[in-house]
Amino acid sequence: MAKSSGKRFMKLAGMTASIAGKAAKNSLKHLSSDEEKRLQARSELMQDVGIQIAETLGEMKGAVMKVGQIASQYKDVFPPEVATALEKLQKDAPPMPYAQIRAQVERELKAPISELFSEFDETPFAAASIGQVHKATLLSGQKVVVKVQYPGVDENCDSDLKQVRMALKIAGVLNMSRELQEQLFNEIRQSLHDELDYIKEAHNLRVFGAFHVSDKGLIIPKVISSHSSKRVLTLTEEMGETLAVAATWDNDIKQKIAERLFHFSAGQLFGLYRMHCDPHPGNFAFLADGSVIAYDFGGTRSYSDSEVQLFRRFAQHAVKGDVTALEQDLVALDVRRDDNTNIPGEFYEKWLSIGLKPLSIAPYQEGAFDFATSQVHHEAITQMRTSLKYFGQFQPSATTMMLDRTVSGQYWNLVNLGVKIDLSSLVEGYLKTPMHS
């Protein structure tokens, strides 16, 4: 990395100090203000903090930037103002000079690049926060893509995460118990380490490839083991169109795509107990026959049998509208705090009426749901504002964090695809399976 660890540290420490100053000034200034003014001031502070964190992280390639992206994916952990600023980090990073990439490939694969590939594009066709992807051709003539990790990213990972956590804590952003912070940041740290280990990702690709081998129209690239290592991953080239292009196709093709995206996530959760948890639109490509290609198996999570049964039970109770059982499930999932506060049934019913609409679950939605005109996300925000008084009863849960990220990501994929579809029979299919008592 061009920036040494010392420089990175100074930059992050500077950011932390500056945020601490702003937070202190803000709380002093509004000691005597009324509630409304205080909330307004806090929101402005958060916006300010969010922008500052995003700008600092954006200049620093690597783990820090990845942390920023992860933060933007776990929206429930961070105030909306901070999450919005961090979203900007999800845009493509500027590429790394080819000389450094070549050196990294040769160091990892222990041979000159000309002996490994007959062609290797010097310009990457995709750059992400921890690495970039180049097209290449093997000596056999096979077309491949090569994912190369930026040098030095992994060394800075843990210290970067600590700094970001400290900055967020000082800003008063982490509104949760110490224990919960530990759990969430462990989950984030774990998913970072997983994404930094391409050997693990290669293993994931083989596991998921085998699991989906007979799912027609779901394509997962194959690993070229001879050209892969901890920081270089070579895969068969599987190219398709972007989500934006797929959005222009006929609805019957879009329906095939939507069904495949649904099976991709639900099938893994209920059939493999392991899930691809990064449904960012850039991790999928589409073919004109409705086939879906999935990339990037760095961010996956495994679940125990009891967790999967609990998710299934929760979904069954939601579809039935059994709010008493639903509340128990939420306690078991660590989402609902186990205390004596009584939350009226209407609170849950209102959320069900919003959340189950996209799945075409009656009585909330009769027949196909039009994702192109979906108001569900707006309704959810409005509902959040009206039910703030109960929000202290809920907390982000390490068990559901990756699942939430996957479900909301796939919802947005269908919104951006603009598909009109009735998903209820697919939901039924996954929930009908026998229950353990």
Side-chain angles (χ1 to χ4, degrees):
M1 294 255 90
K3 284 209 174 55
S4 67
S5 297
K7 270 206 194 118
R8 291 173 81 87
F9 184 80
M10 290 312 293
K11 220 177 182 154
L12 284 165
M15 168 184 89
T16 309
S18 152
I19 287 174
K22 283 181 186 162
K25 212 157 74 194
N26 181 46
S27 57
L28 279 174
K29 202 166 107 192
H30 294 282
L31 272 178
S32 57
S33 308
D34 61 12
E35 186 66 7
E36 184 75 2
K37 263 220 180 85
R38 264 210 304 274
L39 285 172
Q40 181 57 36
R42 180 174 159 78
S43 175
E44 281 163 19
L45 170 75
M46 288 302 143
Q47 224 158 337
D48 212 17
V49 166
I51 289 167
Q52 189 176 356
I53 293 175
E55 281 177 350
T56 311
L57 300 188
E59 292 166 21
M60 302 172 64
K61 256 231 166 74
V64 166
M65 194 155 154
K66 191 73 200 166
V67 172
Q69 290 184 337
I70 286 181
S72 76
Q73 286 158 339
Y74 300 124
K75 295 228 186 16
D76 45 358
V77 182
F78 303 94
E81 300 86 353
V82 175
T84 310
L86 292 173
E87 289 252 69
K88 296 196 178 75
L89 294 176
Q90 281 199 278
K91 303 292 167 268
D92 273 2
M96 191 104 180
Y98 174 67
Q100 278 175 286
I101 291 293
R102 189 184 66 209
Q104 177 80 319
V105 171
E106 297 186 334
R107 192 166 45 240
E108 284 288 311
L109 301 182
K110 301 183 175 38
I113 215 159
S114 55
E115 287 175 18
L116 295 160
F117 302 95
S118 62
E119 280 170 50
F120 193 100
D121 283 6
E122 295 194 10
T123 316
F125 75 94
S129 51
I130 58 170
Q132 59 195 40
V133 191
H134 293 255
K135 288 188 183 180
T137 310
L138 298 181
L139 302 179
S140 65
Q142 183 170 14
K143 299 255 180 248
V144 292
V145 295
V146 186
K147 186 162 142 179
V148 184
Q149 195 173 112
Y150 298 130
V153 171
D154 40 3
E155 292 136 43
N156 293 315
C157 174
D158 285 353
S159 59
D160 285 357
L161 193 55
K162 270 203 194 82
Q163 282 290 327
V164 171
R165 179 175 172 180
M166 201 156 86
L168 294 171
K169 204 156 131 192
I170 289 171
V173 168
L174 298 172
N175 203 351
M176 56 184 86
S177 71
R178 176 110 207 198
E179 185 193 9
L180 189 58
Q181 277 185 41
E182 282 300 317
Q183 281 185 326
L184 291 173
F185 275 86
N186 280 340
E187 179 86 4
I188 291 175
R189 185 169 17 306
Q190 190 49 54
S191 72
L192 260 173
H193 281 288
D194 287 352
E195 288 193 46
L196 287 163
D197 185 351
Y198 291 175
I199 293 174
K200 219 172 210 168
E201 182 172 354
H203 175 69
N204 288 340
L205 276 151
R206 293 188 192 100
V207 170
F208 284 91
F211 178 72
H212 288 297
V213 73
S214 55
D215 291 334
K216 216 178 109 5
L218 264 179
I219 300 159
I220 294 175
K222 292 182 180 54
V223 179
I224 311 288
S225 309
S226 55
H227 290 60
S228 298
S229 71
K230 190 171 194 280
R231 297 183 189 87
V232 172
L233 181 60
T234 302
L235 304 171
T236 55
E237 181 184 273
E238 308 287 353
M239 304 304 280
E241 301 294 349
T242 61
L243 188 61
V245 171
T248 63
W249 296 342
D250 292 345
N251 196 57
D252 56 337
I253 296 292
K254 290 192 210 181
Q255 284 181 339
K256 283 185 182 160
I257 290 173
E259 283 172 15
R260 283 179 179 138
L261 288 173
F262 188 97
H263 280 309
F264 181 75
S265 293
Q268 290 166 14
L269 179 64
F270 292 118
L272 187 60
Y273 289 22
R274 195 186 241 195
M275 205 176 186
H276 175 291
C277 294
D278 193 2
H280 186 275
N283 288 339
F284 296 101
F286 308 94
L287 302 178
D289 65 357
S291 296
V292 172
I293 305 163
Y295 308 114
D296 202 344
F297 285 78
T300 67
R301 186 172 190 305
S302 298
Y303 294 97
S304 66
D305 180 63
S306 57
E307 285 172 329
V308 173
Q309 300 314 334
L310 185 52
F311 294 149
R312 178 176 278 135
R313 209 158 53 230
F314 171 78
Q316 286 170 329
H317 292 147
V319 169
K320 273 199 202 115
D322 183 345
V323 296
T324 318
L326 200 65
E327 187 166 54
Q328 292 310 306
D329 298 335
L330 289 170
V331 170
L333 286 165
D334 268 343
V335 172
R336 162 85 163 93
R337 292 178 204 268
D338 198 0
D339 59 23
N340 297 326
T341 316
N342 181 36
I343 297 181
E346 298 77 272
F347 169 85
Y348 293 111
E349 278 155 14
K350 186 72 197 139
W351 279 108
L352 288 178
S353 72
I354 297 171
L356 292 176
K357 243 186 271 181
L359 299 171
S360 294
I361 304 295
Y364 314 112
Q365 170 74 23
E366 302 289 345
F369 179 81
D370 190 353
F371 281 89
T373 57
S374 175
Q375 292 301 305
V376 165
H377 39 286
H378 298 301
E379 287 168 35
I381 290 168
T382 312
Q383 182 53 20
M384 265 181 183
R385 293 206 181 104
T386 58
S387 50
L388 276 175
K389 59 173 175 290
Y390 300 118
F391 264 54
Q393 273 25 80
F394 297 91
Q395 57 190 12
S397 146
T399 315
T400 61
M401 188 160 76
M402 300 288 264
L403 184 61
D404 293 341
R405 169 179 161 181
T406 308
V407 171
S408 63
Q410 291 290 28
Y411 163 77
W412 280 108
N413 285 338
L414 298 188
V415 168
N416 293 324
L417 182 62
V419 64
K420 190 173 181 184
I421 190 170
D422 181 340
L423 291 168
S424 59
S425 59
L426 293 186
V427 175
E428 293 271 275
Y430 281 105
L431 298 188
K432 261 209 313 268
T433 26
M435 294 283 305
H436 300 310
S437 56

